Amino acid sequence: MTNLVERYVAAWNETDPAARAKAVAEVWTEDATYTDPLADVAGHDGIAAVIEGAQGMFPGLVFTPGEQYDAHHDVARFTWHLGPEGGEPVVVGFDVVELAGDGRVRRVVGFLD
């Protein structure tokens, strides 16, 4: 589970479009969906666009894993932070993910705390 959260967060921090597309493909299934209070998208292109949009809204900030994560069956939940590198977070979130058989994310429902 820790590995998934680290790869998930790394995808959100990837600023190079080609590297971000590769990271999204490695973490999410082709038909994955992502829904949070600000977005409702499907597929790799949609997810990559949401990530790029978040980076544009919060320039210079980075995502880091939060302190809590848990998983059972094919569902996981974890917290994340967004803030200056090494500093206090300005945004804290909580994501619930459904995993596919290959371990990639099939569905994300995100919340902002």
Side-chain angles (χ1 to χ4, degrees):
M1 182 62 204
T2 302
N3 185 318
L4 173 67
V5 174
E6 289 172 357
R7 292 184 304 121
Y8 182 93
V9 168
W12 280 88
N13 286 326
E14 183 54 64
T15 58
D16 176 73
R20 181 172 47 244
K22 183 177 187 239
V24 167
E26 290 174 355
V27 174
W28 284 270
T29 62
E30 293 80 6
D31 61 345
T33 59
Y34 178 89
T35 305
D36 72 13
L38 305 174
D40 187 11
V41 299
H44 290 167
D45 290 343
I47 293 166
V50 167
I51 293 171
E52 182 177 11
Q55 292 174 353
M57 287 176 59
F58 302 103
L61 301 183
V62 295
F63 288 91
T64 56
E67 296 81 26
Q68 299 179 355
Y69 61 89
D70 189 20
H72 64 80
H73 297 87
D74 62 350
V75 178
R77 63 182 178 145
F78 54 89
T79 56
W80 51 263
H81 300 157
L82 176 65
E85 191 163 351
E88 290 294 316
V90 295
V91 179
V92 175
F94 182 93
D95 286 358
V96 177
V97 300
E98 179 183 336
L99 303 175
D102 65 2
R104 290 187 297 164
V105 174
R106 176 182 313 168
R107 180 178 181 216
V108 178
V109 179
F111 298 88
L112 303 174
D113 293 342

